[in-house]
Amino acid sequence: MTQDPNSMGGNVTEDRLIEILDAYGADPLAWPERERYDAQRLAADPSPRLAAALDDAAALDQLLSRASVPEMSDAAIARLVADAKPGQFAKVGRLFSQLSGWTGPIWQPAGALACALFLGIGVGVAEPDFTETDDDLVLAKTMSTEQIEKVIEEEDIFGFGGDL
């Protein structure tokens, strides 16, 4: 027996298909994609219990499709807007914009700050640990600029052939 490549596995039981019908209705396109193939196979040859659940779901779908959505009056919308209380996040955003003069969304400066923080941590972690016991570092700290330039020219440590 071959399985549809779109099926993600897992056999759908009759009880699970009834749960799907109760939650999503009789239209298979509304069913969870991961279970759709197995559910359609089960629905193609239903038991009497499953056939009744399919009929009930189809009848409810048809009833809901004929129902109209009542429109709200302008007064009701105005009352809702007036009674709406801003969430904590909106209060923080308003406070931030008052203090900083920033008028855009609060996530933009917060994101920039987070990026700078992570970049700083990353550079700090990646920075090698130089200690005072490193002979070259101790020698470089005790040498004058002229002496360092002479060493660089003599050893050609940067590959410039002695020409800086």
Side-chain angles (χ1 to χ4, degrees), residues 34-98:
R34 148 174 251 163
E35 298 171 300
R36 186 177 303 151
Y37 177 76
D38 293 331
Q40 284 177 312
R41 288 183 52 206
L42 186 61
D45 186 25
S47 68
R49 176 178 167 230
L50 188 55
L54 283 164
D55 289 342
D56 289 347
L60 182 60
D61 285 353
Q62 186 177 17
L63 182 68
L64 289 174
S65 69
R66 288 185 293 181
S68 63
V69 177
E71 291 191 29
M72 291 183 67
S73 67
D74 291 338
I77 293 173
R79 230 180 10 257
L80 281 173
V81 170
D83 291 343
K85 294 185 170 86
Q88 197 65 25
F89 191 70
K91 291 177 185 176
V92 170
R94 236 186 354 263
L95 177 65
F96 179 78
S97 64
Q98 289 172 351

